[in-house]
Amino acid sequence: MRPPWWPSRRRRQEMEALHLVLCILLLHDGRRQEHVNAAARLQLQAQMLLAMGSLRERHYLTRPVLPKPQECPWACVLRSRNDMAFLEFTGLTWASFRYLWEHFDPVMLGIWSSRKKPGEKRGRKRTMRTIDVLGGCLMHLHMFIRYAGLCALLSQTPGTLSVYISEGLVVLLCVLKELPESRISWPSREEMEECASLISARQPHLPRSFAFVDGLNLAINDPSDPLEQNAYYNSWLSGCFCSSLFCFNPKGEIIWCYLNAPGSWHDSTMAQGLYKLLRERVPDGFSLISDSAFAATKDAECKIVKPLKQDQLEAVANDKTLSVKEIVGLLKKHRSALSVRQAAEWGMRTIQGAHGRLQAPLPANHKSRRLILDLVARLHNYRTRTVGLNQTRTVYSPDYVSTFVQRDRHTYYLSVREAVVV
């Protein structure tokens, strides 16, 4: 990861080419002045003015203006071990952060020690410890903040911090892939029955539904390649986006995802792998809740429950072959599917709210963007299982459902009592 003041590759190529042209013209002008006319000299002067005007003055943080690393805000939060402060900085509590650091520390130290030959003394002491690198990576993903602000929080210069962050993100992904708390796996039959019971406790008209799925579009920087830019351009949103697909269970965990697809792809195109799982690994009777964009294949349609569209509702209401009881049952199932599908929107909001990096345009580079999205998906599961701050998990927990039912009964009792009194 280069510092933010570093010019782009295309800009460096333009500057090098312009510098070469200026050198050739100046050499030609010095040797063959009699053959250089006034028009060529005017063109040379214009190019020189253009080059001078394009080189902007750069502003970035330097070491003398920053406090000592032991006195930076991150060091104060680290010493306090306060859960509220850690949630604000990293999105994790102190206990979950420490557990993650215990697995992150040996991997990072192993990489650093592998670069040093036995008995060799190289340079100055590192300005960041492994716990600081992990905190910087989590703050980079959790906070919606400029890079200069992150440098001020960690008391590091942009060049130094970019090296640690780019290296730490790769190590963090390797660690999260090995942790059971951050795994993304398709549920077994027993887990499907458990999730279905959580949903049916709140919506009895959906007895065998165990998860919900929805798509997410995230803005990216415009790729330099015109063909790639055309693939990622979303005409509905009028910009370059990357599309992802997430499948959540009622515990708020991601059980399946498809990441970093071009923004022009439809949700049903990305869901081909999900349709295969529904056909091969989902027993008969279980279903998935989605919106009308899914179930493009007939063999997977029976295992996907969707809310009815407006024309479908009118067709059901005007269908004379259906009895009143059947129509009421279809409408209740429609209302239940509409209510449960809202949990997918909660999951999307949790992903974007807990990872402020997604609010800024993602990199145009495919590998860098894939790294960020993979980290976000696994950190979401880790945060849900260790911290527990998840709206879907809260709403579908048995304690919340029982409280919700009791509250409704109490409200109904009070309303009836007031009506009798009046």
Side-chain angles (χ1 to χ4, degrees):
M1 183 182 297
R2 295 188 178 90
W5 48 264
W6 193 265
S8 63
R9 180 180 179 182
R10 177 180 292 183
R11 187 58 187 159
R12 293 199 308 271
Q13 291 176 350
E14 293 176 356
M15 293 168 61
E16 291 174 359
L18 184 58
H19 182 264
L20 180 60
V21 170
L22 291 175
C23 291
I24 294 175
L25 290 177
L26 287 173
L27 181 62
H28 182 73
D29 190 20
R31 293 182 178 179
R32 304 286 184 90
Q33 293 185 1
E34 63 275 8
H35 300 288
V36 180
N37 52 19
R41 291 188 179 184
L42 290 175
Q43 183 180 4
L44 177 60
Q45 294 176 359
Q47 290 177 347
M48 293 179 64
L49 291 175
L50 179 63
M52 293 175 62
S54 63
L55 297 177
R56 298 178 298 173
E57 186 178 358
R58 304 290 180 176
H59 303 277
Y60 53 91
L61 294 175
T62 56
R63 170 55 60 188
V65 302
L66 293 172
K68 296 180 180 179
Q70 299 82 4
E71 301 173 358
C72 65
W74 164 247
C76 298
V77 172
L78 193 60
R79 286 192 296 267
S80 69
R81 300 185 179 182
N82 183 272
D83 285 343
M84 294 182 63
F86 266 89
L87 283 171
E88 188 68 24
F89 271 64
T90 65
L92 304 176
T93 59
W94 162 247
S96 58
F97 176 83
R98 182 178 179 179
Y99 176 77
L100 184 59
W101 172 64
E102 289 175 353
H103 294 79
F104 180 87
D105 179 65
V107 180
M108 199 70 195
L109 289 177
I111 294 177
W112 287 349
S113 61
S114 63
R115 298 174 181 171
K116 187 176 181 181
K117 297 179 181 180
E120 181 185 7
K121 296 182 179 180
R122 297 177 57 184
R124 294 174 293 180
K125 185 179 178 181
R126 293 185 180 273
T127 58
M128 294 186 70
R129 303 165 296 173
T130 56
I131 195 170
D132 301 326
V133 176
L134 178 59
C137 293
L138 293 176
M139 285 189 285
H140 173 69
L141 296 172
H142 175 69
M143 290 184 171
F144 181 51
I145 187 173
R146 292 184 58 190
Y147 211 79
L150 191 60
C151 293
L153 290 177
L154 292 165
S155 187
Q156 298 292 331
T157 57
T160 303
L161 184 61
S162 63
V163 174
Y164 282 113
I165 294 297
S166 58
E167 189 177 43
L169 291 177
V170 178
V171 175
L172 179 59
L173 179 59
C174 296
V175 172
L176 290 174
K177 286 182 178 180
E178 301 297 330
L179 288 180
E181 291 82 3
S182 59
R183 73 183 186 277
I184 300 175
S185 59
W186 191 255
S188 61
R189 183 184 179 91
E190 292 75 15
E191 292 173 339
M192 290 182 188
E193 292 177 351
E194 180 185 358
C195 294
S197 64
L198 293 177
I199 295 179
S200 61
R202 188 172 176 85
Q203 298 294 341
H205 299 286
L206 299 173
R208 305 287 281 177
S209 299
F210 67 95
F212 15 83
V213 62
D214 201 3
L216 176 65
N217 293 318
L218 297 171
I220 66 171
N221 294 321
D222 295 344
S224 57
D225 186 7
L227 296 178
E228 184 180 0
Q229 185 177 137
N230 181 63
Y232 283 90
Y233 183 80
N234 189 313
S235 58
W236 180 264
L237 300 174
S238 301
C240 289
F241 288 81
C242 70
S243 300
S244 300
L245 207 60
F246 294 94
C247 186
F248 301 92
N249 63 10
K251 299 177 182 178
E253 304 166 357
I254 299 174
I255 60 176
W256 181 87
C257 61
Y258 189 96
L259 304 174
N260 202 20
S264 58
W265 286 18
H266 194 263
D267 288 349
S268 60
T269 304
M270 297 184 289
Q272 296 301 319
L274 182 61
Y275 295 156
K276 184 178 179 181
L277 286 175
L278 292 175
R279 291 191 299 265
E280 299 177 357
R281 299 184 58 181
V282 176
D284 294 336
F286 289 92
S287 60
L288 196 69
I289 302 173
S290 69
D291 56 16
S292 58
F294 295 88
T297 57
K298 295 182 179 180
D299 52 354
E301 189 172 1
C302 60
K303 295 182 179 180
I304 294 183
V305 177
K306 303 178 294 182
L308 300 176
K309 297 182 180 179
Q310 184 64 30
D311 55 344
Q312 294 174 334
L313 288 173
E314 295 176 358
V316 169
N318 298 326
D319 192 351
K320 298 181 180 180
T321 61
L322 298 176
S323 62
V324 176
K325 185 176 181 180
E326 292 175 340
I327 294 176
V328 171
L330 289 174
L331 292 179
K332 287 183 177 180
K333 188 176 182 180
H334 160 74
R335 293 291 299 272
S336 299
L338 195 63
S339 175
V340 173
R341 209 202 69 79
Q342 180 64 30
E345 304 296 339
W346 295 342
M348 299 302 176
R349 173 56 190 161
T350 303
I351 290 177
Q352 298 178 80
H355 304 93
R357 179 63 185 86
L358 301 182
Q359 300 181 26
L362 296 176
N365 182 269
H366 180 83
K367 293 182 179 180
S368 301
R369 189 169 61 248
R370 172 74 190 197
L371 174 64
I372 294 175
L373 293 175
D374 206 348
L375 280 169
V376 165
R378 296 182 182 277
L379 279 173
H380 170 84
N381 276 4
Y382 181 80
R383 185 172 184 264
T384 301
R385 290 165 178 157
T386 58
V387 180
L389 292 179
N390 190 290
Q391 184 175 2
T392 307
R393 187 185 187 94
T394 303
V395 170
Y396 284 96
S397 64
D399 297 336
Y400 184 89
V401 172
S402 60
T403 305
F404 178 79
V405 173
Q406 293 176 3
R407 185 187 63 186
D408 278 3
R409 290 177 180 174
H410 183 64
T411 304
Y412 176 75
Y413 170 75
L414 290 179
S415 61
V416 172
R417 183 179 177 182
E418 291 176 358
V420 171
V421 172
V422 174

